[in-house]
Amino acid sequence: MNVGAISMRYARALLMFATEQGVEDAIYKYMSRLVHTLDYVKELPVLLRAPVLTAEERVRIICEAVDGDSVFEKFANLIVKEGREELLMFIAHCYMTLYRKAKGILAVSFTTAEPVSEEFIEKVKELIGQSSGAYVELENVVDPSVIDGFVYEANSVRVDASVRGELQNIRKKLVEQNRKLV
């Protein structure tokens, strides 16, 4: 089973249907909530596979997880009917990717050692938006192991301007130099 192709088919169909209904923005928010819920509640995918649950209960659980509307409920019904609950995370990510591409949105992950102010985030979004020409959707990830500086990730671009990254580069160079000596 090609998980990527199947997930993309469902995501494309959902985006087309949501666009026809004029609710693609709402579905995007639901999919974003679904991703966060599935990340946070690790037991949810296991629960959705439980044989004791009826199809209606599975649909209700999925819809309640995101506080979905009737269009989202139709999507959840289709997923449960086809037995594709295990693909929910993949479908949600595919939908979000297609939606961002259609709307000209650049998703950026900005990792810092400590939380940064909302003012700083807005300034970073503005600078990235000016250079990319896209609307920027920025997620500030806090990871103390960065130590200081930041790690920027968007599309296939990764810029590591962190102390952790510099320390890793120094370590790599030292290991390479020591290999030459031995």
Side-chain angles (χ1 to χ4, degrees):
M1 170 172 67
N2 188 338
V3 171
I6 294 169
S7 300
M8 189 57 80
R9 264 189 230 126
Y10 278 95
R12 274 195 192 106
L14 178 59
L15 182 59
M16 286 174 43
F17 181 70
T19 303
E20 288 170 5
Q21 300 297 313
V23 295
E24 68 273 16
D25 299 338
I27 298 296
Y28 178 75
K29 289 177 186 168
Y30 298 144
M31 289 302 190
S32 181
R33 283 186 207 153
L34 185 60
V35 167
H36 290 295
T37 301
L38 289 169
D39 275 342
Y40 185 72
V41 183
K42 301 292 185 198
E43 300 82 18
L44 186 57
V46 175
L47 174 66
L48 291 173
R49 288 192 305 267
V52 297
L53 291 177
T54 66
E56 293 80 23
E57 289 171 327
R58 292 171 204 261
V59 170
R60 185 178 47 79
I61 290 169
I62 294 168
C63 289
E64 285 180 5
V66 299
D67 196 24
D69 63 6
S70 61
V71 174
F72 187 82
E73 187 176 349
K74 288 179 183 177
F75 163 72
N77 272 311
L78 177 66
I79 293 299
V80 169
K81 177 183 166 205
E82 298 297 323
R84 301 291 192 188
E85 297 93 337
E86 75 277 0
L87 298 180
L88 275 172
M89 179 71 92
F90 300 109
I91 295 168
H93 277 292
C94 289
Y95 180 90
M96 292 170 68
T97 300
L98 292 170
Y99 176 89
R100 287 176 182 143
K101 186 174 181 181
K103 299 285 185 175
I105 297 171
L106 177 64
V108 174
S109 174
F110 193 76
T111 306
T112 55
E114 296 178 4
V116 294
S117 70
E118 203 53 46
E119 181 181 306
F120 182 80
I121 289 174
E122 289 304 316
K123 187 66 177 169
V124 170
K125 284 171 63 173
E126 182 183 320
L127 289 170
I128 295 169
Q130 287 173 353
S131 67
S132 68
Y135 174 79
V136 177
E137 188 178 87
L138 189 136
E139 176 186 18
N140 180 218
V141 178
V142 177
D143 180 1
S145 72
V146 169
I147 304 172
D148 199 13
F150 65 89
V151 178
Y152 164 92
E153 295 175 271
N155 293 333
S156 60
V157 176
R158 184 173 198 270
V159 177
D160 189 343
S162 68
V163 172
R164 176 186 64 193
E166 284 301 312
L167 290 172
Q168 287 172 343
N169 286 339
I170 291 169
R171 181 178 182 273
K172 184 178 174 183
K173 287 178 185 175
L174 287 172
V175 168
E176 287 174 8
Q177 287 175 353
N178 285 331
R179 281 190 192 146
K180 292 178 184 176
L181 293 175
V182 176

